[in-house]
Amino acid sequence: MTKLRLAIVGAGPAGIYAADILLKTERAFDVSIDLFEQLPAPYGLVRYGVSPDHPRIKGVIGALRDVLDRGDIRVFGNVRFGEDIALDDLKKHYNAVIFATGAIRDTTMDIPGIDAEGSFGAADFVSWFDGHPDVPREWTLDAESVAVLGNGNVALDVARMLAKHAEDLLPTEIPENVHAGLQASKITDVHVFGRRGPAQVKFTPLELRELGEQRDVDVIVYDEDFDYDEASKDAIATNKQVKVIDRILQSWRGKPETNNVAPTASRRLHLHFWAKPVEIKTDESGRTAAIVYERTRPDGEGGMVGTGELREIAIGQLYRAVGYFGSPLEGVPFDKKHGVIPNHEGQVLAKDSNERIPGVYATGWIKRGPVGLIGHTKSDAMETVQHLVNDQASWWQPEDPSEEAIPALLASRGVAWTDLDGWHRLDEHEIALGAPQERARVKVVDRDEMVKISRGE
């Protein structure tokens, strides 16, 4: 019987689901799968892209853990593709590779002043508060008024974390350095800007509802944003999710602080709809000082057009949460415009000729862009895996497909890789750190320390 030796680059949900689906797929050959992950720990954005006060979403890790703990998938953590291992190495030892590297950079914005000091990408801030080992430990929150650009779930995550009081995060797995940074915050007002109206937002009702559940934080909405056109009214009437979102927002309109009465909380979270950022003003030192936005209005078809009316709000920091973007991989085609690997249903295509590249596949956000939730990731992986199975005639013919080849190769290059047993050691260590304070865990942030704990050194 033929055996498929498969490499998967990326041990987040996309990579793990692809491995699980392949192992459960009806096929006429055996399968051996190795997962490569650049971080010492698995689970990708579920561990490093979800705010620590979202334990329900982090429950996805339980399902992913069950897949890995079956013991039929090997994990090589702390291995960087393009540095520690290359595409030529994979061709030498595997029949095919699936890239599941996700999208972790911020999409750029083209408005004056957007790169001023004090203007940050949401991805960097999320990585900081989630204890990502490859970002700086310190984050200075020295402005009283800050802006968040975007109307998706990431924007609301960032806004909530900026407005939240640090002590309310202590029961979570928040790293010690993050708690200290948030505790020193001078923020009093967080302003969230969306170009379109309340009926066109991209966030979910759960994310929105959580904004109003924070202690000592008032959520403020503005009556002028709720003059709905027919397209908005239709969206509310026909879409259950939009209807729930509208109900939540309408409940906040009746609060005293929304009607020009002095708010009672020490922090305020303002939601500005029909607000298109057009310029970031800076002070004499080049630091973010104010945001200028244009009031927009409905175009009658669910979109928006500018009104020409400009407004300005003083801010000391800016957070851009307008979407994630993929990163290129050495030796692999990359679409710079869309931030994805060019592909047809997961089969990677040559950039210039659009011809299929044998043995190379993609799944998850690096395949389709940073959209969709876990359900999309699973169906995405199914499509890619089905092509992989059907493409058996065009698999690579590896020179040395032995199971021992990869550990020997990494050892010869001095790579201190981590494995699944190592993740269990790190997992237990973090849980033990949190136990004395009755916390879920305390994340280890330093990469070298993560590696040493994982390797039992």
Side-chain angles (χ1 to χ4, degrees):
M1 180 184 285
T2 303
K3 183 172 186 177
L4 168 62
R5 285 278 289 136
L6 176 67
I8 298 179
V9 179
I16 295 174
Y17 285 136
D20 185 42
I21 288 166
L22 174 59
L23 287 166
K24 293 175 178 177
T25 295
E26 188 174 332
R27 47 193 160 71
F29 49 82
D30 287 335
V31 173
S32 170
I33 301 175
D34 289 343
L35 270 175
F36 293 92
E37 170 56 52
Q38 67 169 343
L39 295 169
Y43 308 136
L45 281 183
V46 181
R47 178 173 164 94
Y48 289 114
V50 177
S51 59
D53 59 346
H54 269 180
R56 289 183 299 275
I57 296 177
K58 285 184 176 291
V60 173
I61 284 182
L64 301 176
R65 179 197 297 271
D66 289 344
V67 174
L68 294 183
D69 283 355
R70 285 201 312 257
D72 49 6
I73 302 167
R74 290 197 304 182
V75 177
F76 292 90
N78 200 42
V79 178
R80 298 179 189 269
F81 179 82
E83 295 181 28
D84 301 321
I85 198 162
L87 188 61
D88 285 343
D89 297 318
L90 300 183
K91 288 181 179 179
K92 185 177 179 180
H93 301 292
Y94 297 92
N95 298 103
V97 58
I98 298 177
F99 288 100
T101 50
I104 58 172
R105 292 187 296 152
D106 286 285
T107 299
T108 57
M109 291 186 71
D110 186 20
I111 62 174
I114 196 67
D115 294 323
E117 182 183 348
S119 175
F120 307 100
D124 290 336
F125 184 59
V126 171
S127 292
W128 173 73
F129 68 58
D130 264 333
H132 194 293
D134 297 337
V135 300
R137 302 285 180 272
E138 308 300 321
W139 196 287
T140 303
L141 297 166
D142 57 357
E144 292 184 357
S145 177
V146 301
V148 179
L149 306 186
N151 260 181
N153 282 343
V154 174
L156 293 198
D157 264 358
V158 169
R160 193 180 66 258
M161 288 294 290
L162 289 168
K164 203 169 191 121
H165 293 276
E167 56 266 33
D168 294 338
L169 288 162
L170 276 177
T172 74
E173 60 183 45
I174 185 172
E176 299 288 6
N177 65 299
V178 177
H179 177 257
L182 293 174
Q183 198 166 36
S185 171
K186 296 182 180 179
I187 292 174
T188 59
D189 290 84
V190 179
H191 297 269
V192 183
F193 295 89
R195 295 181 302 167
R196 296 195 292 173
Q200 289 81 38
V201 296
K202 297 297 184 183
F203 44 71
T204 56
L206 176 62
E207 293 279 351
L208 181 63
R209 188 178 291 113
E210 286 176 336
L211 290 186
E213 296 172 350
Q214 298 183 93
R215 181 185 64 83
D216 193 31
V217 178
D218 282 334
V219 179
I220 299 175
V221 295
Y222 298 87
D223 283 341
E224 65 179 342
D225 292 336
F226 293 87
D227 184 14
Y228 289 145
D229 67 337
E230 290 304 316
S232 295
K233 291 176 183 177
D234 184 60
I236 293 168
T238 59
N239 186 303
K240 184 178 180 181
Q241 179 163 299
V242 177
K243 182 183 294 184
V244 174
I245 286 171
D246 178 62
R247 188 182 305 139
I248 297 168
L249 292 170
Q250 295 290 350
S251 73
W252 291 336
R253 289 181 69 186
K255 290 185 176 181
E257 62 270 12
T258 299
N259 294 300
N260 297 317
V261 175
T264 57
S266 66
R267 292 181 180 178
R268 292 158 292 282
L269 204 160
H270 309 255
L271 299 180
H272 302 273
F273 301 103
W274 304 115
K276 177 186 176 183
V278 294
E279 182 186 0
I280 308 304
K281 289 189 174 180
T282 58
D283 60 20
E284 60 278 1
S285 66
R287 183 181 174 89
T288 299
I291 180 171
V292 179
Y293 66 95
E294 179 184 13
R295 281 289 292 176
T296 60
R297 61 175 175 79
D299 65 0
E301 299 177 358
M304 62 84 189
V305 293
T307 65
E309 178 190 350
L310 298 180
R311 298 183 183 179
E312 182 175 319
I313 294 178
I315 57 169
Q317 286 187 334
L318 175 79
Y319 294 83
R320 308 179 305 274
V322 293
Y324 285 164
F325 203 76
S327 300
L329 298 158
E330 188 174 320
V332 182
F334 187 70
D335 181 341
K336 292 181 181 179
K337 181 179 179 181
H338 300 101
V340 298
I341 295 174
N343 69 91
H344 170 69
E345 298 181 347
Q347 297 171 306
V348 173
L349 305 174
K351 189 175 178 183
D352 298 326
S353 67
N354 257 6
E355 292 183 6
R356 187 167 68 83
I357 300 177
V360 185
Y361 300 84
T363 192
W365 282 3
I366 198 64
K367 169 187 173 183
R368 70 177 186 272
V371 291
L373 303 174
I374 293 298
H376 296 89
T377 303
K378 287 184 176 179
S379 58
D380 209 29
M382 264 180 215
E383 181 180 69
T384 296
V385 165
Q386 197 55 59
H387 278 298
L388 169 64
V389 170
N390 293 338
D391 292 343
Q392 182 173 351
S394 61
W395 291 347
W396 299 330
Q397 299 303 312
E399 178 184 323
D400 180 6
S402 66
E403 301 272 342
E404 302 79 22
I406 292 300
L409 176 66
L410 296 176
S412 71
R413 293 176 177 173
V415 179
W417 79 90
T418 59
D419 58 17
L420 193 57
D421 288 338
W423 159 242
H424 289 152
R425 279 190 285 270
L426 177 61
D427 186 35
E428 291 165 5
H429 179 85
E430 291 181 340
I431 292 171
L433 288 177
Q437 301 151 25
E438 297 185 345
R439 297 176 59 183
R441 73 175 62 231
V442 174
K443 269 186 185 172
V444 176
V445 179
D446 183 77
R447 180 185 279 266
D448 290 341
E449 186 180 356
M450 292 175 71
V451 172
K452 287 179 180 177
I453 294 167
S454 297
R455 291 172 64 88
E457 297 174 351

